[in-house]
Amino acid sequence: MLVGGGPGDPGLLTVRGRQAVLAADVVVVDRLAPLAILAELDPSVEVVDVAKIPRGRYTPQAQINDVLVDRAKAGKNVVRLKGGDPFVFGRGMEELVACEEAGVEVEVIPGVTSAVAGPGLAGVPVTQRGMVQGFAVVSGHAGPGDHRNTVDWAALAQSNLTLVLLMGVEKLPAIARAVLDAGREAQTPVACIMDAGLPSQRHLTSTLGEIVRDGAPAGLSAPAVTVIGDVAAFARGRIHLDLPAELTH
Ligand SMILES: C[S@@+](CC[C@H](N)C(=O)[O-])C[C@H]1O[C@@H](n2cnc3c(N)ncnc32)[C@H](O)[C@@H]1O
């Protein structure tokens, strides 16, 4: 079973996901999965930690796939527990395909993605009537100037959507510059939510202009979800919602 664990708080694991984890013989976990649930497992359950730490310990994807296939073929009830949702920058499909190609059936239990829950936990809505009509979730891993970048940052900047960056800590200044250069206002609010859903959760606020001038907000560290757009101002506190009359009924 491919289970999305939510952003880190085991309370944000779905009921179905929790049932699956507690019924497993083998749980294969990532660093950003809700690790606190592991304390509830029977000691007979095998826990395989396949964390990929940026610039740190790294388990090659092929090795993770092999663990899943080997244990399942040995007749074990295997749960692959991932952070957030398995299909949002989670390599969930790669693992699912590897299992299916080896003749192992996979059930998918979606999870609460940090892209929406991270901002939500800091009081930031990714959409808001009268402010913004949608949001785009983008990986900042290969940001502007990186040879692997495939994102049209100027088009994104001009989309009028809330921008939600995952894996965007390192490239935040370059992304802010690209978005500003493409015409977003310098005073556009930015909110960075770190360790969302964990006891260490905290957030920082800034603006596009400040980040371009001074660099990323002091204290910013991964994992973080960064929100760029008017709704990010909610991270500073409540804003009066001045809804147009036609939206108030
Ligand atoms: C490889 S992606 C996985 C995303 C995950 N599948 C999801 O749906 O949330 C990892 C990135 O997700 C974000 N992230 C995941 N969990 C987070 C958390 N608890 N707090 C803040 N950001 C988080 C960070 O941007 C991190 O670099």
Side-chain angles (χ1 to χ4, degrees):
M1 262 178 275
L2 183 58
V3 177
D9 174 354
L12 294 174
L13 179 58
T14 65
V15 173
R16 186 114 152 251
R18 180 177 164 78
Q19 285 165 347
V21 172
L22 295 180
D25 301 316
V26 181
V27 180
V28 183
V29 281
D30 281 342
R31 177 179 61 102
L32 294 177
L35 300 177
I37 197 174
L38 301 178
E40 295 182 47
L41 298 178
D42 189 89
S44 63
V45 176
E46 183 189 8
V47 176
V48 185
D49 173 4
V50 291
K52 289 196 182 86
I53 299 169
R55 299 212 175 82
R57 188 160 57 87
Y58 174 82
T59 310
Q61 190 61 53
Q63 194 178 320
I64 299 175
N65 297 350
D66 287 347
V67 168
L68 298 173
V69 170
D70 290 351
R71 303 297 196 279
K73 290 212 145 180
K76 304 284 187 190
N77 176 3
V78 182
V79 162
R80 172 68 170 114
L81 180 62
K82 288 179 164 283
D85 182 90
F87 290 157
V88 179
F89 306 127
R91 303 193 183 194
M93 185 50 75
E94 290 167 51
E95 296 179 6
L96 184 148
V97 167
C99 287
E100 287 186 348
E101 284 178 351
V104 173
E105 259 185 53
V106 180
E107 183 189 336
V108 178
I109 302 182
V112 173
T113 180
S114 65
V116 176
L121 287 163
V124 175
V126 289
T127 68
Q128 170 53 47
R129 287 197 310 165
M131 282 177 96
V132 65
Q133 216 179 325
F135 62 99
V137 179
V138 189
S139 165
H141 182 62
D146 188 301
H147 68 282
R148 297 158 302 172
N149 176 55
T150 57
V151 177
D152 183 342
W153 293 96
L156 256 190
Q158 288 160 8
S159 67
N160 282 334
L161 300 172
T162 301
L163 306 184
V164 180
L165 302 175
L166 267 57
M167 297 174 279
V169 166
E170 196 179 317
K171 300 278 165 48
L172 183 57
I175 292 169
R177 157 69 64 198
V179 171
L180 193 74
D181 287 351
R184 284 256 175 138
E185 307 274 341
Q187 64 268 30
T188 302
V190 177
C192 305
I193 302 99
M194 297 168 277
D195 286 354
L198 296 169
S200 49
Q201 177 179 317
R202 64 224 180 268
H203 66 263
L204 295 165
T205 56
S206 188
T207 65
L208 276 182
E210 283 166 4
I211 294 173
V212 167
R213 192 188 62 219
D214 306 331
L220 178 62
S221 62
V225 177
T226 295
V227 180
I228 302 175
D230 290 342
V231 288
F234 282 102
R236 295 190 195 271
R238 288 286 168 269
I239 302 172
H240 175 67
L241 288 176
D242 210 3
L243 289 177
E246 70 270 21
L247 294 182
T248 55
H249 50 264

